Amino acid sequence: GAVVSQHPSRVICKSGTSVKIECRSLDFQATTMFWYRQFPKQSLMLMATSNEGSKATYEQGVEKDKFLINHASLTLSTLTVTSAHPEDSSFYICANGIPDMNTEAFFGQGTRLTVV
Amino acid sequence: KNEVEQSPQNLTAQEGEFITINCSYSVGISALHWLQQHPGGGIVSLFMLSSGKKKHGRLIATINIQEKHSSLHITASHPRDSAVYICAAYTGNQFYFGTGTSLTVIP
């Protein structure tokens, strides 16, 4: 079945550096990709919605200059955490948008980011 | 109040027991999803429901649209079922997630 492949699964970076997380849809075209963040013991929180060929829509409180989202093709959406700080350490996960009732939700494997 | 409420938050069961996880939601939905998240974090979609009942192996999911309630049942539970189960309501343009039910099945 359709799969969303997310990479990397784990990353440790130094404060001040940038980290790029990729989500690829392997056998379907994802015009919309949701990006979520999950803190320990908490539910997934929507950060932004990326749309192929247009600007992402960010949720209130999410800094668009810090969390850069690019959805340049129907198979690739990326999230770049710029100038990372320890408080950005979290679990980030993507999921494809669902265009109709017959489409499943597919989630990436998630990326555990640790900023030291 | 969260748009999606799950119960229980934590559940410990003996291997072989029948397990039920409940989900109530307050938003209008186009579909209700049950997700499984393993300790490493990866999420798998178990079911997508818009009405009635679905069965996949030992897993059964039901939904009552009028009552805005869904249940996930696991028959003959096994230690490999240990995971966090998340209810997610899809409105047509976004998901609302429950906080999850952490299930531990003891051999």
Side-chain angles (χ1 to χ4, degrees):
Chain A
V3 173
V4 172
S5 177
Q6 185 171 344
H7 177 81
S9 57
R10 290 182 181 274
V11 59
I12 300 172
C13 71
K14 291 185 177 180
S15 289
T17 61
S18 296
V19 173
K20 180 185 282 189
I21 302 169
E22 294 186 346
C23 271
R24 293 182 183 274
S25 53
L26 295 186
D27 58 2
F28 68 103
Q29 294 180 333
T31 55
T32 300
M33 196 76 81
F34 298 120
W35 284 94
Y36 297 94
R37 182 174 180 175
Q38 186 182 38
F39 290 105
K41 305 285 186 186
Q42 294 188 27
S43 187
L44 290 85
M45 298 296 296
L46 181 65
M47 298 175 66
T49 303
S50 74
N51 301 291
E52 186 269 334
S54 64
K55 289 184 179 180
T57 303
Y58 289 81
E59 295 301 297
Q60 193 172 11
V62 178
E63 298 175 58
K64 60 183 179 183
D65 294 331
K66 179 167 184 64
F67 298 99
L68 299 178
I69 288 175
N70 185 279
H71 196 146
S73 76
L74 288 170
T75 58
L76 176 64
S77 177
T78 61
L79 166 67
T80 301
V81 183
T82 63
S83 187
H85 289 133
E87 58 263 31
D88 298 326
S89 299
S90 188
F91 185 73
Y92 295 87
I93 194 163
C94 61
N96 66 296
I98 302 177
D100 56 55
M101 289 290 294
N102 297 313
T103 305
E104 289 278 351
F106 294 102
F107 288 79
Q109 298 93 326
T111 298
R112 175 76 59 194
L113 171 64
T114 303
V115 184
V116 297
Chain B
K1 187 179 183 299
N2 294 331
E3 289 85 355
V4 178
E5 299 277 358
Q6 270 185 251
S7 63
Q9 272 191 307
N10 298 285
L11 183 55
T12 301
Q14 288 292 134
E15 184 173 356
E17 283 185 7
F18 180 83
I19 288 162
T20 295
I21 300 170
N22 294 301
C23 173
S24 295
Y25 55 91
S26 58
V27 292
I29 65 166
S30 60
L32 190 289
H33 295 255
W34 281 100
L35 312 172
Q36 181 188 54
Q37 185 172 29
H38 283 281
I43 289 179
V44 173
S45 179
L46 299 175
F47 292 104
M48 181 177 76
L49 289 166
S50 55
S51 65
K53 176 179 174 179
K54 284 190 176 180
K55 185 175 189 294
H56 184 221
R58 295 180 294 104
L59 302 178
I60 302 167
T62 63
I63 189 168
N64 184 316
I65 298 294
Q66 286 73 29
E67 294 185 5
K68 296 194 170 185
H69 182 270
S70 177
S71 293
L72 175 68
H73 305 285
I74 304 175
T75 61
S77 59
H78 190 275
R80 64 175 174 267
D81 297 327
S82 299
V84 174
Y85 293 84
I86 302 169
C87 172
Y90 189 68
T91 63
N93 53 30
Q94 69 172 304
F95 282 103
Y96 290 93
F97 294 92
T99 51
T101 295
S102 179
L103 171 65
T104 303
V105 181
I106 301 169

